[in-house]
């Protein structure tokens, strides 16, 4: 209830490391999405060389021990003149879920490629149940759960975390289901990232009880068939008193 200290994660993460000026720019990099193999990092940025607003860029490396290379723009076919952002990458790295347009009035899209070295194909709109209220997020390793952040009716606050499921990868996505009050709050809860084993969700929130304006929080589940547990703050090593 009110006045109850927020729960903290029961483990300590390492010190955050800045990848440096090769990746970061005065344009401001946001909403990072790391590929399952750890060799590609997608992000949204208004850096020079784009097509207007915020574009999706990608930086690559040969191994997890190597430094990141110079970011490349995903191109005009993916990036429009407004706000474009990556949401999630399939386990095989061949399907990218992303959004076009500002939060609350966006189009949920996907694009595919034949191989990891091939260019991304034309965007395909996800369509119902995804509406202008949602922004697509990560997809589970088996391709049967797609998470999203959105202000659609029926939530607990400004922007909540939702999930859509399907029986097979050939089936359409089902109705978006809210993850519930143990995770979502009256504040903004977005964006969201999923661990490779599908058992940990990490998300950003400006809810009370954190260390600054926006903090990283997490929720876990013991198995795919289990419910998500209460949200926990990742603590002061990761979160700072920075505000904007």
């Amino acid at each position: 209830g009110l006045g109850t200290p927020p729960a903290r994660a029961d483990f300590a993460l390492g010190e955050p490391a800045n990848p440096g000026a090769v990746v970061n720019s005065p344009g401001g990099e946001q909403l990072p999405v790391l590929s399952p193999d750890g060799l590609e990092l997608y992000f949204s940025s208004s850096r020079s060389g784009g097509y207007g607003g915020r574009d999706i860029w990608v930086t690559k490396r040969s191994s997890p021990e190597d430094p990141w290379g110079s970011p490349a723009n995903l191109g005009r076919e993916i990036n429009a003149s407004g706000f474009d952002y990556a949401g999630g990458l399939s386990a095989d790295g061949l399907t990218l879920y992303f959004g076009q347009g500002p939060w609350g009035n966006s189009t949920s899209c996907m694009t595919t490629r034949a191989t990891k070295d091939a260019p991304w194909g034309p965007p395909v709109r996800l369509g119902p149940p995804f509406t202008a209220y949602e922004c697509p997020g990560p997809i589970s390793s088996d391709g049967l759960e797609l998470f999203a952040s959105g202000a659609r009716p029926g939530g607990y606050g400004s922007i909540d975390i939702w999930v859509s499921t399907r029986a097979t990868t050939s089936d359409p996505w089902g109705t978006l289901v809210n993850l519930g009050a143990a995770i979502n709050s009256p504040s903004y809860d977005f964006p969201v990232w999923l661990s490779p084993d599908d058992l940990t969700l990490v998300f950003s929130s400006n809810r009370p009880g954190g260390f600054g304006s926006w903090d990283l929080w997490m929720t876990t589940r013991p198995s795919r068939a289990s419910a998500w547990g209460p949200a926990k703050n990742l603590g002061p090593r990761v979160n700072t008193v920075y505000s904007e």
Side-chain angles (χ1 to χ4, degrees), residues 14-98:
E15 293 291 338
N18 192 309
V22 172
V23 176
N24 291 311
S25 75
E29 286 61 49
Q30 298 179 351
L31 309 175
V33 173
L34 184 66
S35 63
D37 62 10
L39 303 183
E40 293 181 315
L41 180 64
Y42 294 81
F43 57 88
S44 179
S45 176
S46 59
R47 63 175 61 205
S48 61
Y51 297 98
R54 285 190 167 273
D55 283 3
I56 303 173
W57 297 73
V58 61
T59 176
K60 301 181 180 182
R61 59 186 178 184
S62 299
S63 76
E65 290 74 36
D66 288 321
W68 292 107
S70 297
N73 190 290
L74 261 58
R76 185 179 292 276
E77 194 157 37
I78 301 296
N79 291 310
S81 59
F83 188 11
D84 306 294
Y85 45 89
L89 199 64
S90 61
D92 61 9
L94 303 183
T95 301
L96 176 68
Y97 292 86
F98 67 101

Side-chain angles (χ1 to χ4, degrees), residues 1-242:
L2 295 177
T4 302
R8 306 295 185 205
D10 56 1
F11 59 87
L13 293 171
E15 293 291 338
N18 192 309
V22 172
V23 176
N24 291 311
S25 75
E29 286 61 49
Q30 298 179 351
L31 309 175
V33 173
L34 184 66
S35 63
D37 62 10
L39 303 183
E40 293 181 315
L41 180 64
Y42 294 81
F43 57 88
S44 179
S45 176
S46 59
R47 63 175 61 205
S48 61
Y51 297 98
R54 285 190 167 273
D55 283 3
I56 303 173
W57 297 73
V58 61
T59 176
K60 301 181 180 182
R61 59 186 178 184
S62 299
S63 76
E65 290 74 36
D66 288 321
W68 292 107
S70 297
N73 190 290
L74 261 58
R76 185 179 292 276
E77 194 157 37
I78 301 296
N79 291 310
S81 59
F83 188 11
D84 306 294
Y85 45 89
L89 199 64
S90 61
D92 61 9
L94 303 183
T95 301
L96 176 68
Y97 292 86
F98 67 101
Q100 292 182 326
W103 294 91
N105 187 24
S106 61
T107 301
S108 297
C109 302
M110 60 175 282
T111 178
T112 60
R113 59 185 177 183
T115 68
K116 292 181 181 179
D117 297 322
W120 291 105
V124 176
R125 291 191 176 192
L126 292 184
F130 295 91
T131 69
Y133 290 113
E134 295 87 40
C135 305
I139 186 169
S140 60
S141 59
D142 61 7
L144 302 184
E145 290 180 304
L146 181 58
F147 295 84
S149 298
R152 65 189 293 123
Y156 292 89
S158 301
I159 293 181
D160 282 4
I161 303 170
W162 305 72
V163 64
S164 175
T165 60
R166 57 186 178 182
T168 73
T169 54
S170 300
D171 288 316
W173 289 107
T175 301
L176 280 157
V177 177
N178 192 289
L179 292 195
I183 298 169
N184 291 309
S185 72
S187 301
Y188 288 82
D189 301 309
F190 78 96
V192 59
W193 300 271
L194 181 67
S195 64
D197 64 3
D198 304 323
L199 302 182
T200 301
L201 276 176
V202 176
F203 62 95
S204 179
S205 178
N206 64 344
R207 66 182 63 190
F211 296 90
S213 177
W214 289 87
D215 275 13
L216 290 176
W217 299 71
M218 62 169 284
T219 175
T220 61
R221 58 184 177 183
S223 70
R224 285 282 297 273
S226 304
W228 292 102
K232 298 180 180 181
N233 191 288
L234 288 189
R237 179 170 292 189
V238 174
N239 296 309
T240 70
V241 296
Y242 169 80

